[in-house]
Coordinates of all heavy atoms in Angstrom, one line a residue:
A152 N 101.8 -87.9 -22.1 CA 100.7 -87.0 -22.6 C 99.6 -87.9 -23.2 O 98.4 -87.6 -23.0 CB 101.3 -86.0 -23.6
L153 N 100.0 -88.9 -24.0 CA 99.0 -89.8 -24.6 C 98.2 -90.5 -23.5 O 97.0 -90.7 -23.6 CB 99.7 -90.8 -25.5 CG 98.8 -91.8 -26.2 CD1 97.8 -91.1 -27.0 CD2 99.7 -92.8 -27.0
S154 N 98.9 -90.8 -22.4 CA 98.3 -91.5 -21.2 C 97.2 -90.5 -20.6 O 96.2 -91.0 -20.2 CB 99.3 -91.8 -20.2 OG 98.7 -92.5 -19.1
K155 N 97.5 -89.2 -20.6 CA 96.5 -88.3 -20.1 C 95.3 -88.2 -21.0 O 94.2 -88.1 -20.5 CB 97.2 -86.9 -20.0 CG 98.3 -86.8 -19.0 CD 97.8 -87.0 -17.6 CE 99.0 -86.8 -16.6 NZ 98.5 -87.1 -15.2
Y156 N 95.5 -88.3 -22.3 CA 94.3 -88.3 -23.2 C 93.5 -89.6 -23.0 O 92.2 -89.5 -23.0 CB 94.8 -88.2 -24.7 CG 95.2 -86.8 -25.1 CD1 96.5 -86.4 -25.2 CD2 94.2 -85.8 -25.4 CE1 96.9 -85.1 -25.5 CE2 94.6 -84.5 -25.8 CZ 95.9 -84.2 -25.8 OH 96.3 -82.9 -26.2
I157 N 94.2 -90.7 -22.9 CA 93.5 -91.9 -22.6 C 92.8 -91.9 -21.3 O 91.6 -92.4 -21.1 CB 94.5 -93.1 -22.6 CG1 95.1 -93.3 -24.0 CG2 93.8 -94.4 -22.2 CD1 96.2 -94.3 -24.1
G158 N 93.4 -91.2 -20.3 CA 92.9 -91.1 -18.9 C 91.6 -90.3 -18.9 O 90.8 -90.5 -17.9
I159 N 91.4 -89.4 -19.8 CA 90.1 -88.6 -19.8 C 88.9 -89.6 -19.8 O 88.0 -89.3 -19.1 CB 90.0 -87.7 -21.1 CG1 91.1 -86.6 -21.0 CG2 88.6 -87.1 -21.2 CD1 91.2 -85.7 -22.2
K160 N 89.0 -90.7 -20.5 CA 88.0 -91.7 -20.5 C 88.2 -92.7 -19.4 O 87.3 -93.0 -18.6 CB 87.9 -92.4 -21.9 CG 86.9 -93.5 -21.9 CD 86.8 -94.1 -23.3 CE 85.9 -95.4 -23.3 NZ 84.5 -95.0 -23.0
V161 N 89.3 -93.3 -19.4 CA 89.6 -94.4 -18.5 C 89.4 -94.0 -17.0 O 88.7 -94.7 -16.2 CB 91.0 -95.1 -18.7 CG1 91.3 -96.1 -17.7 CG2 91.0 -95.7 -20.1
C162 N 90.1 -92.9 -16.6 CA 90.1 -92.5 -15.2 C 88.7 -92.0 -14.8 O 88.3 -92.2 -13.7 CB 91.2 -91.5 -14.9 SG 92.8 -92.2 -15.1
S163 N 88.1 -91.2 -15.6 CA 86.8 -90.6 -15.3 C 85.7 -91.7 -15.2 O 84.7 -91.5 -14.5 CB 86.4 -89.5 -16.2 OG 86.3 -90.0 -17.6
E164 N 85.9 -92.8 -15.9 CA 84.9 -93.9 -15.9 C 85.2 -95.0 -14.9 O 84.4 -96.0 -14.8 CB 84.7 -94.4 -17.3 CG 84.0 -93.4 -18.3 CD 83.8 -94.0 -19.6 OE1 84.2 -95.2 -19.8 OE2 83.3 -93.3 -20.5
A165 N 86.4 -95.0 -14.3 CA 86.9 -96.2 -13.5 C 86.0 -96.4 -12.3 O 85.7 -95.6 -11.5 CB 88.3 -95.9 -13.0
A166 N 85.5 -97.7 -12.2 CA 84.6 -98.0 -11.1 C 85.5 -98.3 -9.9 O 86.6 -98.7 -10.0 CB 83.8 -99.3 -11.5
P167 N 84.9 -98.2 -8.7 CA 85.7 -98.3 -7.5 C 86.4 -99.6 -7.4 O 87.6 -99.7 -7.0 CB 84.7 -98.2 -6.4 CG 83.6 -97.3 -7.0 CD 83.5 -97.7 -8.4
Q168 N 85.8 -100.7 -7.8 CA 86.4 -102.0 -7.6 C 87.6 -102.3 -8.5 O 88.3 -103.3 -8.3 CB 85.3 -103.1 -7.7 CG 84.7 -103.2 -9.1 CD 83.5 -102.3 -9.2 OE1 83.3 -101.4 -8.5 NE2 82.6 -102.6 -10.2
R169 N 87.7 -101.5 -9.6 CA 88.8 -101.7 -10.6 C 90.0 -100.8 -10.3 O 91.1 -101.1 -10.9 CB 88.2 -101.4 -12.0 CG 87.1 -102.3 -12.4 CD 86.7 -101.9 -13.8 NE 87.8 -101.8 -14.8 CZ 87.9 -100.9 -15.7 NH1 87.0 -100.0 -15.9 NH2 88.9 -100.9 -16.6
R170 N 89.9 -99.8 -9.5 CA 91.0 -98.8 -9.4 C 92.3 -99.4 -8.8 O 93.4 -99.1 -9.4 CB 90.5 -97.6 -8.5 CG 89.4 -96.9 -9.2 CD 88.7 -95.9 -8.3 NE 87.4 -95.5 -8.8 CZ 86.4 -94.9 -8.2 NH1 86.6 -94.7 -6.9 NH2 85.3 -94.6 -8.8
A171 N 92.2 -100.2 -7.8 CA 93.5 -100.7 -7.2 C 94.2 -101.7 -8.2 O 95.4 -101.6 -8.4 CB 93.1 -101.5 -5.9
I172 N 93.4 -102.5 -8.9 CA 94.0 -103.4 -9.9 C 94.6 -102.6 -11.0 O 95.7 -103.0 -11.5 CB 92.9 -104.4 -10.4 CG1 92.3 -105.3 -9.3 CG2 93.4 -105.2 -11.6 CD1 91.2 -106.1 -9.7
L173 N 93.9 -101.6 -11.5 CA 94.5 -100.8 -12.5 C 95.8 -100.1 -12.1 O 96.8 -100.1 -12.9 CB 93.5 -99.7 -12.9 CG 92.4 -100.0 -13.9 CD1 91.4 -98.9 -14.0 CD2 93.1 -100.3 -15.3
L174 N 95.9 -99.7 -10.9 CA 97.1 -99.1 -10.4 C 98.3 -100.0 -10.4 O 99.4 -99.7 -10.9 CB 96.9 -98.5 -8.9 CG 96.2 -97.2 -8.8 CD1 95.8 -97.0 -7.3 CD2 97.0 -96.1 -9.3
V175 N 98.1 -101.3 -10.0 CA 99.1 -102.3 -10.0 C 99.6 -102.6 -11.4 O 100.8 -102.8 -11.7 CB 98.7 -103.5 -9.2 CG1 99.7 -104.6 -9.3 CG2 98.4 -103.2 -7.7
V176 N 98.6 -102.8 -12.3 CA 98.9 -103.1 -13.7 C 99.7 -102.0 -14.3 O 100.7 -102.3 -15.0 CB 97.6 -103.4 -14.5 CG1 97.9 -103.5 -16.0 CG2 96.9 -104.7 -14.0
L177 N 99.4 -100.8 -14.1 CA 100.1 -99.7 -14.7 C 101.5 -99.6 -14.2 O 102.4 -99.4 -15.1 CB 99.4 -98.3 -14.3 CG 98.0 -98.2 -14.9 CD1 97.3 -96.9 -14.4 CD2 98.0 -98.1 -16.5
I178 N 101.8 -99.8 -13.0 CA 103.1 -99.8 -12.5 C 104.0 -101.0 -12.9 O 105.2 -100.8 -13.3 CB 103.1 -99.7 -10.9 CG1 102.6 -98.4 -10.4 CG2 104.5 -100.0 -10.3 CD1 103.5 -97.2 -10.9
A179 N 103.3 -102.1 -13.0 CA 104.0 -103.3 -13.6 C 104.4 -103.1 -15.0 O 105.6 -103.5 -15.4 CB 103.1 -104.6 -13.5
W180 N 103.6 -102.5 -15.8 CA 103.9 -102.1 -17.2 C 105.1 -101.2 -17.2 O 106.0 -101.3 -18.0 CB 102.7 -101.5 -17.8 CG 102.8 -101.0 -19.2 CD1 104.0 -100.7 -19.9 CD2 101.7 -100.9 -20.2 NE1 103.7 -100.4 -21.2 CE2 102.3 -100.4 -21.4 CE3 100.4 -101.0 -20.1 CZ2 101.5 -100.1 -22.5 CZ3 99.6 -100.7 -21.2 CH2 100.2 -100.3 -22.4
A181 N 105.1 -100.1 -16.3 CA 106.2 -99.1 -16.3 C 107.5 -99.8 -16.0 O 108.5 -99.5 -16.6 CB 105.8 -98.0 -15.4
E182 N 107.5 -100.7 -15.0 CA 108.8 -101.4 -14.6 C 109.3 -102.3 -15.7 O 110.5 -102.4 -16.0 CB 108.5 -102.2 -13.3 CG 109.7 -103.0 -12.9 CD 110.9 -102.1 -12.4 OE1 110.8 -100.9 -12.4 OE2 112.0 -102.7 -12.1
A183 N 108.4 -102.9 -16.4 CA 108.8 -103.8 -17.6 C 109.5 -102.9 -18.7 O 110.4 -103.4 -19.3 CB 107.6 -104.5 -18.1
A184 N 109.0 -101.7 -18.9 CA 109.6 -100.8 -19.8 C 111.0 -100.4 -19.4 O 111.9 -100.3 -20.2 CB 108.7 -99.6 -20.1
L185 N 111.2 -100.2 -18.1 CA 112.5 -99.9 -17.6 C 113.5 -101.0 -17.7 O 114.7 -100.8 -17.9 CB 112.4 -99.5 -16.1 CG 111.6 -98.2 -15.8 CD1 111.6 -97.9 -14.3 CD2 112.2 -97.0 -16.6
L186 N 113.0 -102.3 -17.6 CA 113.9 -103.4 -17.9 C 114.3 -103.4 -19.4 O 115.4 -103.8 -19.7 CB 113.1 -104.7 -17.5 CG 112.9 -104.9 -16.0 CD1 112.0 -106.1 -15.8 CD2 114.2 -105.0 -15.2
L187 N 113.4 -103.1 -20.2 CA 113.8 -102.9 -21.7 C 114.8 -101.9 -21.8 O 115.8 -102.0 -22.6 CB 112.5 -102.6 -22.5 CG 111.6 -103.8 -22.8 CD1 110.4 -103.3 -23.6 CD2 112.3 -104.9 -23.6

């Protein structure tokens, strides 16, 4: 839910060239949390 609130700004302002990199970073973060 907090991610959704952050996404109101981050996702609505995301420039085309940054979107793919953001997707990979977000999933890498999620997998690191699962390792924890």
Side-chain angles (χ1 to χ4, degrees):
L153 181 58
S154 185
K155 294 296 184 181
Y156 283 101
I157 297 171
I159 292 174
K160 175 178 174 63
V161 173
C162 292
S163 61
E164 294 182 359
Q168 63 272 19
R169 296 179 54 218
R170 293 167 197 161
I172 296 174
L173 275 172
L174 282 168
V175 174
V176 169
L177 294 173
I178 289 298
W180 181 335
E182 177 67 4
L185 293 180
L186 292 173
L187 284 176

